[in-house]
């Protein structure tokens, strides 16, 4: 009697995953064996192999919106006539509009394609804004000496998804205040201490210079910039028409600038709202890559927990209103801390909280909002703490990368 074996879809899927995992493991073991044989035959043990693909300085930019983070750093390498490899996702990256000689740009694609390249890199030091090293698909290459993360916002370093910074060798911060919570998580999780260095904010330095070149426009009306974060707890998803209806009827000019991720994660919300106000001439939507044009035009910002609040305050020194939301911190590193994070504490000092009950009378609420000396002082305090070494981030980051690699090379002699 012939017996037919039946495998249910769930078990079949699990077996398939096991086979794929086993194949991947064998591949990486084979790769490691090749590297080990190279070490044995070269007479060196435990030493990084410098093969033909080795690059001393590598910067990975996962998306062109992070160009403002890296521009001043690349300019600094160019000025020093020091070669650096710049890895980008697409051919339309802004770097290709530059006339660099010492910045060697390579297109490595997006997602898993990019990670496959990065996971096999041979390099001295790799700098990136991408978190989650050794947590998801992005792994540490055994042939890279040092992994460095540079913060792309001046807000808390613990607002990454869980374990965002845990497996980097160093973190370049915008202000010393970010050290405390990183150290707290290291102690809590039994991690070795990373090297923490404050270099300032390269993207704020870039935006500051760019804002100077924007010509002043003749103002026709008081302008409100609505610039929230994204997700279920963010302004547009949570309130939508409840806020935008009275704003659109206020007589003010309203600029709505959704978070870039909103186009991906909550596009239905945006399409609904755009259609609702398409005939209202007072309402304008901003989807430009740079936020500085809308920030410069506006007189006040309404937001939620978005980091753009700090960009606005530091670059424009204008008042901010915020609608507090019950942000679920469980997915973030900040959830593991036993205290309120810096950006939430500072927002209460320098921002003007508005509640849903204020929306119906939002015109009067805005008109009655006063930019007091206390708010001005709090904005200055926040800027001093979170944007140190103003104008120097490109230089200090290049200094760190070059000095760190020199130190590592000396240590391997």
């Amino acid at each position: 009697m012939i017996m037919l074996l039946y495998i249910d879809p769930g078990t079949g899927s699990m077996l398939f995953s096991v086979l794929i995992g086993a194949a991947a493991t064998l591949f990486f073991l084979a790769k490691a064996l090749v590297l080990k044989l190279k070490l044995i035959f070269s007479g060196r043990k435990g030493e990084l192999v410098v093969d033909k693909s080795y690059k001393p300085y590598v910067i990975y930019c996962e998306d062109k919106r992070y160009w403002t983070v890296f521009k001043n750093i690349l300019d600094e390498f160019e000025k020093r006539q020091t070669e650096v490899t710049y890895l980008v996702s697409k051919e339309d990256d802004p770097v290709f509009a530059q006339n660099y000689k010492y910045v060697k740009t390579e297109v490595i694609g997006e997602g898993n394609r990019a990670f496959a390249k990065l996971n096999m890199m041979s390099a001295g030091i790799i700098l990136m804004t991408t978190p989650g090293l050794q947590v998801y698909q992005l792994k540490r290459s055994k042939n890279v000496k040092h992994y460095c993360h540079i913060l792309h916002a001046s807000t808390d370093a613990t607002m990454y998804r869980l374990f965002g910074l845990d497996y980097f060798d160093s973190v370049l911060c915008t202000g010393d205040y970010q050290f405390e919570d990183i150290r707290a998580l290291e102690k809590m999780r039994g991690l070795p201490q990373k090297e923490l260095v404050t270099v300032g904010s390269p993207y704020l330095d870039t935006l500051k210079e760019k804002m100077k070149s924007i010509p002043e426009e003749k103002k026709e009306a008081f302008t409100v910039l609505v610039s929230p974060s994204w997700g279920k707890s963010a302004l547009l998803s949570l309130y939508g028409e409840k806020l935008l209806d009275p704003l659109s009827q206020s007589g003010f000019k309203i600029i709505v600038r959704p978070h870039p991720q909103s186009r991906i994660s909550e596009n239905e919300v945006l399409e609904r709202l755009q259609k609702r106000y398409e005939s209202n001439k007072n309402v304008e939507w901003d989807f430009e890559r740079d936020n500085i044009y809308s920030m410069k035009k506006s007189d006040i910002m309404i937001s939620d927990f978005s980091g753009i609040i700090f960009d606005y305050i530091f670059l424009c020194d204008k008042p901010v209103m915020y609608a507090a939301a019950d942000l679920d911190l469980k997915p973030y590193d900040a959830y593991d801390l036993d205290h309120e994070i810096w950006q939430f504490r500072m927002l209460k000092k320098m921002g003007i909280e508005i509640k849903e009950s204020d929306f119906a009378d939002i015109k009067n609420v805005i008109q009655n909002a006063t930019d007091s000396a206390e708010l001005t002082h709090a904005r200055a305090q926040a800027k001093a703490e979170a944007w140190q070494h103003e104008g120097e981030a490109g230089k200090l980051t290049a200094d760190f990368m070059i000095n760190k690699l020199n130190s590592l090379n000396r240590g391997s002699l």
Side-chain angles (χ1 to χ4, degrees):
M1 183 181 217
I2 299 173
M3 296 185 66
L4 297 177
L5 295 176
Y6 170 74
I7 300 178
D8 66 87
T11 304
S13 176
M14 182 181 71
L15 289 173
F16 181 74
S17 298
V18 169
L19 288 172
I20 292 296
T25 301
L26 287 172
F27 173 78
F28 286 109
L29 285 173
K31 186 82 176 177
L33 180 60
V34 171
L35 289 175
K36 191 170 183 179
L37 288 171
K38 283 183 179 180
L39 287 173
I40 292 171
F41 288 115
S42 65
R44 298 172 295 175
K45 293 183 179 180
E47 193 174 322
L48 182 143
V49 178
V50 179
D51 56 21
K52 290 181 180 179
S53 67
Y54 175 84
K55 298 172 176 62
Y57 307 106
V58 176
I59 295 175
Y60 169 54
C61 179
E62 67 175 285
D63 189 277
K64 61 184 179 183
R65 71 177 181 267
Y66 297 114
W67 167 243
T68 50
V69 177
F70 296 117
K71 182 185 181 301
N72 284 348
I73 302 168
L74 297 176
D75 287 348
E76 192 66 30
F77 273 93
E78 186 74 11
K79 186 169 71 175
R80 300 181 190 204
Q81 300 184 3
T82 301
E83 196 167 291
V84 59
T85 301
Y86 189 55
L87 305 178
V88 300
S89 297
K90 295 181 179 179
E91 297 281 357
D92 64 349
D93 195 276
V95 70
F96 291 109
Q98 308 298 308
N99 191 28
Y100 287 134
K101 179 180 177 182
Y102 295 92
V103 177
K104 307 299 181 182
T105 304
E106 296 180 22
V107 179
I108 63 169
E110 302 174 277
N112 289 334
R113 181 183 165 195
F115 297 148
K117 170 79 173 177
L118 289 162
N119 294 350
M120 291 296 180
M121 284 294 298
S122 177
I125 182 168
I126 296 183
L127 176 75
M128 63 180 74
T129 58
T130 310
L133 179 66
Q134 206 64 17
V135 179
Y136 303 110
Q137 296 97 324
L138 179 59
K139 305 297 183 185
R140 290 181 65 105
S141 168
K142 294 180 179 179
N143 218 27
V144 170
K145 292 183 178 182
H146 189 94
Y147 281 91
C148 179
H149 184 89
I150 185 166
L151 297 174
H152 67 268
S154 55
T155 47
D156 291 80
T158 55
M159 282 303 288
Y160 284 127
R161 297 279 168 166
L162 284 169
F163 320 117
L165 299 177
D166 283 6
Y167 300 103
F168 284 92
D169 300 303
S170 60
V171 178
L172 303 185
C173 299
T174 70
D176 293 347
Y177 87 90
Q178 292 159 336
F179 291 12
E180 181 181 353
D181 287 348
I182 295 175
R183 292 288 185 238
L185 290 178
E186 288 171 341
K187 185 176 181 181
M188 185 184 305
R189 295 170 181 172
L191 297 168
Q193 285 197 346
K194 290 174 279 295
E195 187 170 359
L196 304 180
V197 179
T198 297
V199 298
S201 177
Y203 88 96
L204 284 177
D205 289 348
T206 301
L207 292 181
K208 179 183 176 183
E209 290 303 310
K210 196 168 184 178
M211 282 190 81
K212 290 178 182 177
S213 65
I214 302 174
E216 296 287 345
E217 293 185 9
K218 183 180 178 181
K219 293 187 67 66
E220 297 178 356
F222 186 88
T223 301
V224 179
L225 173 59
V226 180
S227 191
S229 187
W230 64 279
K232 293 181 180 179
S233 299
L235 203 65
L236 293 183
S237 287
L238 198 60
Y239 300 118
E241 298 90 339
K242 293 180 182 178
L243 173 63
L244 293 183
D245 276 359
L247 274 176
S248 68
Q249 297 159 13
S250 65
F252 300 145
K253 181 178 179 180
I254 310 300
I255 302 175
V256 185
R257 180 180 169 82
H259 191 282
Q261 186 65 29
S262 293
R263 297 292 291 268
I264 301 168
S265 302
E266 50 192 10
N267 197 47
E268 289 183 8
V269 174
L270 297 188
E271 288 181 351
R272 186 189 79 237
L273 294 174
Q274 283 183 276
K275 185 173 180 61
R276 185 178 182 90
Y277 304 107
E278 62 185 357
S279 62
N280 191 315
K281 295 181 180 179
N282 288 350
V283 179
E284 171 186 321
W285 293 81
D286 174 18
F287 294 102
E288 294 294 322
R289 186 173 73 235
D290 288 340
N291 54 26
I292 52 177
Y293 301 100
S294 291
M295 290 199 296
K296 189 160 186 174
K297 289 179 189 176
S298 62
D299 296 290
I300 195 170
M301 174 188 280
I302 297 178
S303 189
D304 40 38
F305 49 84
S306 175
I308 196 176
I309 290 173
F310 294 86
D311 295 356
Y312 189 69
I313 284 172
F314 297 167
L315 291 168
C316 303
D317 193 25
K318 297 174 184 176
V320 167
M321 291 181 159
Y322 68 96
D326 294 325
L327 177 62
D328 182 9
L329 288 175
K330 286 188 182 71
Y332 303 96
D333 278 322
Y335 182 75
D336 286 342
L337 299 172
D338 61 0
H339 57 265
E340 188 177 38
I341 60 174
W342 179 90
Q343 66 192 66
F344 292 166
R345 296 197 307 271
M346 290 307 301
L347 186 56
K348 291 175 183 177
K349 292 181 181 180
M350 65 184 187
I352 304 165
E353 184 179 2
I354 54 172
K355 301 182 184 299
E356 187 176 348
S357 57
D358 296 321
F359 293 171
D361 194 33
I362 196 67
K363 181 177 181 178
N364 287 327
V365 171
I366 291 172
Q367 287 177 329
N368 293 331
T370 56
D371 192 13
S372 67
E374 185 179 359
L375 290 175
T376 303
H377 175 74
R379 293 199 299 264
Q381 179 190 349
K383 182 178 178 180
E385 292 179 11
W387 186 8
Q388 295 180 228
H389 305 298
E390 188 174 336
E392 298 183 275
K395 174 186 177 300
L396 293 176
T397 301
D399 283 346
F400 174 81
M401 292 178 71
I402 292 168
N403 293 336
K404 174 53 63 179
L405 186 56
N406 288 338
S407 174
L408 290 169
N409 288 339
R410 287 193 300 270
S412 64
L413 293 178

